[in-house]
Amino acid sequence: MPSSRRKFIKGLTAASALAATQAVAKPIVQVIRPQAPAYIPNLKSVSPNDKIRIATIGMGIQGNYDTRAALRNPDVELVAVADLYQGRLETAKTAFNNPDLFTTRDYREILARKDVDAVLIVTPDHWHDHITIAALKAGKHVYCEKPMVHHINEGKAVIDAWKKSGKTMQVGSQRISSAAFQEAKRMVQAGDIGAINYIESNNDRFNAIGAWNYSIPPDASPKTVDWDRFLGDAPKRPFDAKRFFRWRNYRDYGTGVAGDLFVHLITGVHFVTNSLGPNRIFSSGNLAYWKDGRDVPDVMTSIMDYPKTDQHEAFQMVLRVNFANAGKIQNVTRIIGNEGQIEFSENNLILTKKKLATAPGYGNYDSYFTFTPEVQQEFVKQYDAQYPPETRQAEPAKEVRFEAPKDDDAHARHFGDFFTNVRAGSQGTIEDPVFGFRAAAPVLACNESYFSNKVVYWDPVTMTQKTGPAAPAAKKSTTPAKKPAAAATAKK
C-alpha cells in the first residue's frame, strides 16, 4: 500500500510527562538517533548473471508499490507481470521502462516460465491461497501480500505446500522490518515497560479513497477485464466494475478493515512480543457512512484476549477503525505495561517509563479523612513504621524518543529479507507462512465474530478454531423458583 496508508500515527502527539506517585518530577528525556542501517542486512553480492528474476501477479495499487520496493534491492530483475485489466498490463511496460516486458492475464503462464525465480502475489484476498499453492508446486519462491488467506480453513494447506516445496515464502506486512519495530521489540524484550497488560490502536479516516473508493477507468468492460477469472471461486455474477476495482468493499473478495488494517498491528504485536496469538476474539461495529453497496463495516472495534505464555503475561488488545470520523483524527498505537508504555508510528516511537512508589500514600480522595482523630493517629503510626521515607518517592518519569533514520525503507528491507533467504536456500524469513497465518487467523476471526455476532475461540498454538470453553455449572438454588406467568421465546 502507499506509505500514506501505512502510517500507524498521523500527527503523533508527544507523550505527556507523567507525575510520580506522591511526587511531581520533570521527566528525563532521551532521544535515540541510530545510525542508518544497511539497506539490506547480510545480503551477499552476486554476479550480474545471478539476479533474482521476479514476476508480479496483480498490478493494482499495491502490486506497483511492492514491485518498486522489490526492485530497490540489488540484483533483482522484473521479467513478467500478470493482471486481469488490460490497461495495467500496458501501463506496466512504460512504468518499468521495458517495452518487451512479458504480460499476461493468466497467472499460470507466469508459473510456467523457467526464467521466473520468485513471484509476488498481490491479488484480491480470495486468490491468495490458490496462486500461492500453485506457485510453490511450480517451484517458485513466493512473496504473498497480507492477509495470507481469505478464510481460516485455508491456512494450513498453504503451510503444508510451503513446507513440502522447500521454497522461500514471505508474507507482506512490511512494518515489522522498520527500524521502529525493531527498536520496540528490543525495548519490550529488555523489560523496559515491564509486563504488558494492554495494547490499543485506532486507525481512523474520513475520505473516499481511504475508504477504498478507488478510481475506475472509463474503459472498464468485459472486454478489457477478465471478469470470470477474477471471480474464481467467488459467487458468479454479471460484470461489475465497482466490484473489480473496489474489491476491498466486498466479502466475496476481501477481508474488510480487519484484513486491510488490523493485520498490520497484529503482525507487529506478534513480532514485538513473540506472541503466538489470541485465544478469544470479539468484534462489533456497523456500516455508518459509506453506504455505497459495500457489505463490510466502516466502523469496527475488536477485542482480543492474549493468554499468558513463557514469553509474556496475559494482555488484552483493542483495535478500532472508523472510516466515518469527521472529527479531529489522532491515530495512535500504544503498548502498555506495568512500568511504562510505547507509543509509536511506523518510523518513530516514544517510550515513557514510570514506576509507582512502594508506599501507596494516603489523604485526598481516600478513606483516611473518614477515620476518627484517634484512629488517624494510629494509622499514621503504622504507616510510618511500614513505609520509610525512601519508599514514598517514585523515580522521575523517563521519556525516550526513538527516531528512525530518514532513509529507513521498511518495504525494501522486507523484500531484502525475502531475497536473502532465497539466495541462501532458506525458509527462515521474518514473516514465514506460520507467522503469517498466526497473524491472519485473528483478523479473519474478527470478521467471523462481527458477522455472526459471537465470540470466536482460537488455539494459537495448534492454529485451530475452538468451540469455546465449557459453560460453568449453574449453582442450585435453595429457594423454589416461581412459575412464570408466561413463557417468552428468545430469538437468536
Side-chain angles (χ1 to χ4, degrees), residues 330-369:
Q330 292 180 316
N331 291 332
V332 66
T333 297
R334 299 194 300 159
I335 302 178
I336 301 170
N338 57 16
E339 295 183 9
Q341 74 166 28
I342 296 173
E343 180 176 305
F344 62 104
S345 68
E346 185 175 1
N347 300 315
N348 305 285
L349 64 83
I350 300 173
L351 165 69
T352 306
K353 291 180 64 67
K354 177 186 177 183
K355 287 186 178 181
L356 292 175
T358 303
Y362 61 89
N364 296 321
Y365 195 84
D366 175 50
S367 58
Y368 173 78
F369 78 93

Side-chain angles (χ1 to χ4, degrees), residues 451-462:
F451 288 108
S452 62
N453 192 28
K454 70 178 184 181
V455 174
V456 175
Y457 296 92
W458 174 253
D459 187 328
V461 177
T462 63

Side-chain angles (χ1 to χ4, degrees), residues 88-108:
R88 288 175 176 164
L89 298 179
E90 295 171 4
T91 300
K93 293 183 178 183
T94 56
F96 295 97
N97 300 314
N98 185 357
D100 297 322
L101 181 67
F102 177 78
T103 64
T104 178
R105 289 186 179 186
D106 189 346
Y107 74 88
R108 294 171 298 182

